[in-house]
Amino acid sequence: MGKIIDEWANIQEDMLNEITERFHSYDDYLQLRLVCKQWNLKIPKIPSGNKVPWLLSPIAIDASETRDLEEKGIYHLMLPDMLEDNVIVGSCHGWLISVVVNEGTVQILNPFTKVHLDVVLPSVSTLPNVIGNDESQYILSDFHRPLDHSFVHRFLVHKVIINSAPNHDKKDLTAVALYGCAFRLAFYKPNDDRRWIKFSTDHDAFIDVIFFEEKIYAVDMYGQLYEFDSKTKSEPMEGIHEAPPPSEVATHYRHVKYLVGCAHNGSLLMVVRQYDELENEERAGWETYQFDIYQLKKNTKA
């Protein structure tokens, strides 16, 4: 019996990798790692087979549907119950960033290991447009009346990004938040008062922001690209990028823009999602009908 156990424990690593590639549920993947000490050492904590970005869907999946979803490239991951009342506002370096609605704290969660950190980033109440805060309401500089805590916690922050995984040296951590009705940018570097600090730029109406190659890139709703140096000690330094918006499609304010950095070749992409109102009397809403992709050519400024 002992010999059989040893044979399983010493299974060839390439064969073990073949097995792991057939797991589409991380909870099952975790059980595989717990079979024995040798397997736990050989199998990485996070699956390494799928390197593409994940689109997180909040839809509960029935167990009977799992096989069909796997064939379509949809993976099933059970998230902790703590996320039920959270608003997910970002995903960086394998960590999810969310706002806890009943508290206003900004939480960082590893969806694979279930590790969550509540004290890394400042809370919503420290954002630059918060000028008043009592037990139940906020007063915001860009809003004409007081707002309930739960409303502000749910809708004030549009996106948060971090420059590195929080399990590294937190002294080098930089975070950027896209927030408020005017869609402005705020940054955080570890400091004594733990507050979000407004970017010194006068520009607003930003619709997306990313870290890429040690810089911060942001795009506004009209497709104009902005570049910030993230390595300065005090705050990110701004410079409007000389490349103009590429077309009428990109400058249309109702077309949503996303920035994507391609690490394998160093290129920066802007994805423009075109959508329109549904022509359906039974169901109101919006329909995406096209994506346009633009690549920044830095040498030609286009």
Side-chain angles (χ1 to χ4, degrees), residues 29-45:
Y29 181 88
L30 182 61
Q31 293 298 319
L32 183 71
R33 291 184 60 241
L34 297 177
V35 168
C36 65
K37 182 178 180 180
Q38 287 83 349
W39 286 23
N40 188 47
L41 294 172
K42 291 178 181 179
I43 302 175
K45 291 183 179 180

Side-chain angles (χ1 to χ4, degrees), residues 245-297:
S247 72
E248 292 182 1
V249 171
T251 57
H252 196 293
Y253 73 95
R254 273 182 55 180
H255 294 161
V256 184
K257 289 85 177 172
Y258 307 94
L259 294 176
V260 180
C262 302
H264 68 282
N265 62 5
S267 63
L268 182 67
L269 306 180
M270 178 172 67
V271 180
V272 180
R273 178 166 63 92
Q274 299 187 44
Y275 65 94
D276 207 345
E277 194 169 2
L278 280 173
E279 296 181 1
N280 189 334
E281 296 180 357
E282 298 179 358
R283 186 163 61 95
W286 303 90
E287 179 182 26
T288 298
Y289 61 87
Q290 183 172 321
F291 288 95
D292 295 294
I293 302 176
Y294 301 91
Q295 181 178 358
L296 176 67
K297 298 292 186 181

Side-chain angles (χ1 to χ4, degrees), residues 25 31 33 46 66 76 83 98-99 101 125 137 150 161 169 174 177 197 211 222 229 240-242 266 268 277 291:
S25 167
Q31 293 298 319
R33 291 184 60 241
I46 297 176
T66 303
H76 185 215
L83 278 181
S98 65
V99 175
V101 172
S125 63
Q137 292 183 319
S150 59
I161 58 173
D169 188 359
T174 300
I197 302 171
F211 281 103
Y222 303 105
D229 184 357
I240 186 169
H241 207 282
E242 295 182 25
L268 182 67
E277 194 169 2
F291 288 95

